[in-house]
Amino acid sequence: MPSVPPSQSFMSLALDEARAAASRGEVPVGCVIVRNGAVVVQAGNRTLADKDPTGHAEMIAIRAAAQALGSERLADCDLYVTLEPCAMCAAAISFARVRRLYFGAADAKGGAVENGVRFFASPSCHHRPDVYGGIGESECAALLKDFFQARR
């Protein structure tokens, strides 16, 4: 049996967080932050539960990783998220100096990495992580599509 590439296994953990968020009625987005091949934190969206518009999975994970590692800089960390980050989350990823960003589904409407404002391409962006999109894209996109179809 071939081994699963790390990006796929970490995205699987992010998908688990997204499914857990969906089970709580949250938009199903999950995030995992990894350092030296080990998971530092996992998080899912909590905007409804926390009554916090900044309660995106990436924001929660970045805050928790900074606390766990004792630094506001996550320079040797990689972030895996099931949906292309919005402008707020892209800015937080940049400010935290995350080394690599891996995301699943593109977000033509609210994304800010490959879509929308393309935050990392902005001249005012001081740190640009290496970006890898489309990791587990079909599964990530299907989870979101099914969630929103069920709510209509």
Side-chain angles (χ1 to χ4, degrees):
M1 178 177 196
S3 65
V4 177
S7 63
Q8 287 293 335
S9 60
F10 293 132
M11 189 58 77
S12 292
L13 295 175
L15 274 161
D16 291 343
E17 289 293 330
R19 287 186 201 96
S23 73
R24 298 188 303 270
E26 303 277 357
V27 173
V29 177
C31 181
V32 175
I33 295 181
V34 176
R35 180 180 182 203
N36 298 327
V39 173
V40 177
V41 296
Q42 297 177 215
N45 271 3
R46 295 191 51 85
T47 58
L48 300 175
D50 295 349
K51 302 198 178 10
D52 178 2
T54 70
H56 292 195
E58 302 97 306
M59 299 295 288
I60 295 165
I62 287 168
R63 289 180 191 126
Q67 286 293 315
L69 299 173
S71 175
E72 75 283 5
R73 299 284 189 242
L74 306 177
D76 55 351
C77 293
D78 301 333
L79 187 147
Y80 294 79
V81 64
T82 57
L83 181 65
E84 178 182 355
C86 69
M88 173 182 68
C89 293
I93 289 164
S94 177
F95 291 143
R97 305 297 196 262
V98 169
R99 176 178 57 185
R100 294 183 197 107
L101 165 64
Y102 298 88
F103 70 87
D107 185 356
K109 191 172 178 182
V113 177
E114 292 182 350
N115 291 287
V117 298
R118 298 180 186 213
F119 185 84
F120 301 129
S122 168
S124 62
C125 179
H126 298 292
H127 171 76
R128 294 162 181 84
D130 295 334
V131 176
Y132 305 91
I135 309 297
E137 181 174 18
S138 59
E139 191 172 1
C140 294
L143 182 60
L144 286 155
K145 181 180 176 188
D146 293 347
F147 175 82
F148 286 112
Q149 277 186 339
R151 297 179 74 85
R152 290 190 183 118

